[in-house]
Amino acid sequence: MSNKKNKPLMPKLRFPAFRNSPEWISEKVDRLVDTITPPKKLPTSSYAVKGDFPIIDQSQNAICGWTDDREALIKDDLPLIIFGDHTCILKLLDRPFAQGADGIKILKPRPRIGTSYLYQYLSYRPVVTEEYKRHYSILKEKVVLFPDFKTGEQQKIADCLSSLDELIAAQARKVDALKTHKKGLMQQLFPREGETQPRLRFPEFRDAVEWLPKTLGDACKMQAGKFVSAADIHAQSASGFFPCFGGNGLRGFTVTQTHNGTYPLIGRQGALCGNVKLATGKFHATEHALVVTPNKGVEAVWLYYLLDLLNLNRFTTGQAQPGLSVDVLEKVPAAVPEDEKEQQAISSCLTSLDTVIAA
């Protein structure tokens, strides 16, 4: 029988005023929150670019649209925590809002735990996305550690971390400005839909012929990856392991390998359907991703930027589980520069911007 005593629930770092306070409490999320049902959910067709109130969904965007519909508003018990049931996105809302069409859980913490503190704790230990599934069943079983609300320690921690969030948000705005610049540049370096001449061309190609009118089927081949069991996907890399990509990017590492080289990947199912990533080297792609192989005369990185610009999510079909059909994608128009050197010049320019954004 072990003589070891359970370690007290105490953080390594504590504000001076609370160093002699009692140890913390542990409880499952399900016993700390209530879920709020919205008056109604707004369909994507009703999203406006302007309005008095934000529309919130489970996408990466803090706000996905705007509305003036007061009957859809959730305005009581603010602030509230938003959890993306499929994407595991966490958001903290402190003003009236409406729920978008896709699945989110609206969480109202009970009096024993502060909303800002719980948001910070769940952000610190997030639920890991497992392809297309509902994740609230995982979140509600997570154990949360917290000090007694009455001591004020929760609020002190939340205030400290929120001030850092403000600095992070300021840096994010700088990154967003770079991304906006990149998007605008892409829209000029590639022809508009239905056209074969970009508005901006590098000097050495200004007298070159117009781009060739093609379809994605002419430019590349698209094929779903191979199934691999979740039990065979590991969080950490090791000798003999390869990166494993799914529909939402890197999922982990596995011993199987399906590709070696540079390939664009397209998410083909679920909430991140149409998401475009670039994989290089030796890797495995799951069945939730379409692996894109450029045809002769098409450069892989240039093709990646083209696919990213095309907004492939608009070609999805299905309601419960949206998906992309290769037959549909192959018919999408796509103009291609005849000279591969022009493709390389475009991809080098955009890659250098991505490097700055990543830094």
Side-chain angles (χ1 to χ4, degrees), residues 33 77 79-83 89-93 97 105-109 114-120 122 139:
V33 302
D77 303 309
L80 294 167
I81 297 172
I82 308 301
F83 176 72
I89 291 294
L90 281 168
K91 301 177 184 181
L92 184 65
L93 269 293
F97 67 96
K105 290 290 183 181
I106 304 171
L107 309 181
K108 173 189 172 184
T115 305
S116 296
Y117 175 86
L118 181 59
Y119 169 77
Q120 294 291 350
L122 296 178
L139 179 74

Side-chain angles (χ1 to χ4, degrees), residues 232-305:
D232 294 327
I233 300 175
H234 306 273
Q236 302 296 326
S237 181
S239 178
F241 280 28
F242 303 96
C244 179
F245 292 93
N248 59 344
L250 183 65
R251 284 194 60 196
F253 302 88
T254 184
V255 296
T256 61
Q257 176 205 333
T258 53
H259 293 83
N260 183 10
T262 300
Y263 296 87
L265 304 177
I266 304 171
R268 62 185 288 258
Q269 288 179 327
L272 295 175
C273 198
N275 186 42
V276 181
K277 297 289 183 183
L278 187 67
T280 59
K282 297 179 179 180
F283 65 92
H284 178 92
T286 75
E287 77 280 10
H288 295 283
L290 289 173
V291 182
V292 182
T293 305
N295 287 338
K296 185 177 179 180
V298 179
E299 202 253 343
V301 180
W302 176 87
L303 181 60
Y304 157 72
Y305 287 113

Side-chain angles (χ1 to χ4, degrees), residues 182-208:
K182 174 193 164 187
K183 184 176 181 180
L185 188 58
M186 288 175 69
Q187 290 169 344
Q188 295 186 72
L189 289 172
F190 288 85
R192 295 176 181 178
E193 192 167 342
E195 297 182 358
T196 56
Q197 181 78 12
R199 283 167 287 171
L200 180 63
R201 259 179 136 165
F202 293 100
E204 61 268 38
F205 303 107
R206 284 174 187 162
D207 296 326

Side-chain angles (χ1 to χ4, degrees), residues 117-176:
Y117 175 86
L118 181 59
Y119 169 77
Q120 294 291 350
Y121 190 94
L122 296 178
S123 300
Y124 162 58
R125 293 190 172 174
V127 176
V128 178
T129 308
E130 297 179 9
E131 295 295 347
Y132 188 82
K133 66 177 289 184
R134 293 191 177 275
H135 295 84
Y136 185 65
S137 58
I138 300 173
L139 179 74
K140 69 181 184 179
E141 294 299 317
K142 287 184 76 69
V143 174
V144 177
L145 306 179
F146 56 97
D148 188 337
F149 183 80
K150 296 177 183 177
T151 66
E153 188 173 5
Q154 287 187 33
Q155 190 60 47
K156 185 74 172 177
I157 293 170
D159 288 346
C160 173
L161 297 176
S162 295
S163 67
L164 283 173
D165 281 339
E166 291 171 6
L167 293 174
I168 293 169
Q171 184 66 25
R173 287 191 289 271
K174 294 179 183 178
V175 174
D176 286 341

